[in-house]
Amino acid sequence: NTANLLGGVTVSRSDGVTLKADELLTDMATGRIESLGPITGDGPFGTLSANSMVMERPSPDAAHTIIFQGNVEVIYLQPGGER
């Protein structure tokens, strides 16, 4: 139960966080998502970029853990800050 998403993939959350990658590999059974190349993101927190990302859930009732790897850059905005 996997899906390989290609060509400008955007994942958005209801809180305004958006992640973008050229390609994501998803495992529908476990909820694991892996970027197969660079990834960028933005939201109320600021912006981020990295060479890759893995998002997985350690157990079915746990929250997802997101790990960004390689040349990770985060520009954090303080609450009420401007971009």
Side-chain angles (χ1 to χ4, degrees), residues 23-80:
E23 186 173 5
L24 293 178
L25 180 61
T26 63
D27 183 323
M28 306 306 251
T30 64
R32 185 177 197 274
I33 300 174
E34 178 180 0
S35 72
L36 301 179
I39 189 157
T40 61
D42 64 70
F45 66 88
T47 62
L48 66 88
S49 62
N51 289 350
S52 65
M53 175 213 71
V54 174
M55 179 169 61
E56 56 192 348
R57 190 183 312 214
S59 65
D61 59 337
H64 280 91
T65 299
I66 303 174
I67 300 169
F68 296 98
Q69 298 175 320
N71 295 314
V72 177
E73 180 180 274
V74 177
I75 299 174
Y76 174 73
L77 297 176
Q78 294 184 8

Side-chain angles (χ1 to χ4, degrees), residues 11-29:
V11 177
S12 299
R13 292 182 2 170
S14 61
D15 64 358
V17 174
T18 301
L19 297 174
K20 295 181 180 183
D22 288 335
E23 186 173 5
L24 293 178
L25 180 61
T26 63
D27 183 323
M28 306 306 251

